[in-house]
Amino acid sequence: RFRTSRPILDKHGRVVAVLAGRPRSSDWDALVKGGAEEIARAREELTFTRKQTEHSRGDFPAVTVGVAHGGGRREPGNVRQSNPAALAVLTTLLAMHFFQSLAGFANCIFKAYSFRTYQYYSKCLDEIYSWKPDLRCHFERSVFGTCTVNFGPRTASRPHRDGANLAFGWCAITALGNFDPNKGGHLILWDLGLVIRFPPGSTILIPSALIKHSNIPIQNGETRYSFVQYSAAGLFRWVYNGFKTDAE
């Protein structure tokens, strides 16, 4: 159940998004439950900044980890955390077997359904790490440079596009938590006119910079978190310019 990947096609038969489902693993439900519990535990250990709690996507703390460029940065670098303790909590969270498996699963789906774009991501990230080898790499089996953990505990994003991401690139979104997917948590792809059932532990890949998307709220007493993987457009511009800014 929920394990078969289903592509969303345009009228020309081109894949524009993928309902990836979940890995064919007998212990996936247990891993998903443990991952959500660890996010809840990390939430209690973190102190969120105003920027992490006051943003356009919704009323929930969102913490970004990884390598990024843009937003005032002079060059690509590790996303700064509020303090060393926060970095330690996030690094420990992402080092879990569940999140490593999740990153590998999204990577495989991306490669299978959009191979040329996948190669473009892979080449960009390889060149970024070769240019600056001391950058932290949290996932060995992923071509995405950055991830965001939405700490909820009732994550429901407002309609938005992620304009800082690569315009034609993909973003992998995984739903987590304890909620009834028949009654809430659905993903809305506004430009495509789709409302998609989105159970805990399942993953969807969309071009998040192009398609306006949001989530339906969940029921009272439930929890919903999400884990999002993507790459900032600034990374690709940096590599394309020969490791320089547009102005340089």
Side-chain angles (χ1 to χ4, degrees), residues 132-160:
K132 197 170 185 180
D134 60 339
L135 292 172
R136 286 190 298 274
C137 177
H138 292 278
F139 301 108
E140 292 185 7
R141 295 183 297 163
S142 178
V143 296
F144 293 110
T146 316
C147 68
T148 293
V149 181
N150 294 318
F151 281 91
R154 296 169 55 81
T155 301
S157 63
R158 302 187 186 100
H160 69 285

Side-chain angles (χ1 to χ4, degrees), residues 15 18 109-119 168 170:
V15 178
V18 179
I109 297 295
F110 188 11
K111 185 177 183 179
Y113 283 96
S114 188
F115 183 62
R116 285 187 295 175
T117 307
Y118 172 90
Q119 285 183 310
F168 58 86
W170 280 13

Side-chain angles (χ1 to χ4, degrees), residues 30 33 38 62 69 76 96 107 138 163 168-169 177 209 218 239 243:
K33 183 176 183 293
E38 289 301 322
H69 186 38
M96 285 182 58
N107 193 70
H138 292 278
F168 58 86
I218 56 176
V239 172
F243 309 106

Side-chain angles (χ1 to χ4, degrees), residues 63-66 94 138-139 144-149 227-230:
V63 180
T64 298
V65 183
L94 298 181
H138 292 278
F139 301 108
F144 293 110
T146 316
C147 68
T148 293
V149 181
F227 177 67
V228 187
Q229 302 171 75
Y230 55 95

Side-chain angles (χ1 to χ4, degrees), residues 171-201:
C171 163
I173 309 168
T174 302
L176 299 167
N178 183 15
F179 64 93
D180 185 345
N182 294 320
K183 297 181 178 179
H186 298 64
L187 176 68
I188 306 176
L189 302 181
W190 292 87
D191 303 296
L192 304 184
L194 295 175
V195 179
I196 301 168
R197 187 175 182 274
F198 199 177

Side-chain angles (χ1 to χ4, degrees), residues 88-101:
V89 170
L90 295 166
T91 300
T92 300
L93 180 69
L94 298 181
M96 285 182 58
H97 172 64
F98 169 67
F99 287 102
Q100 294 294 318
S101 298

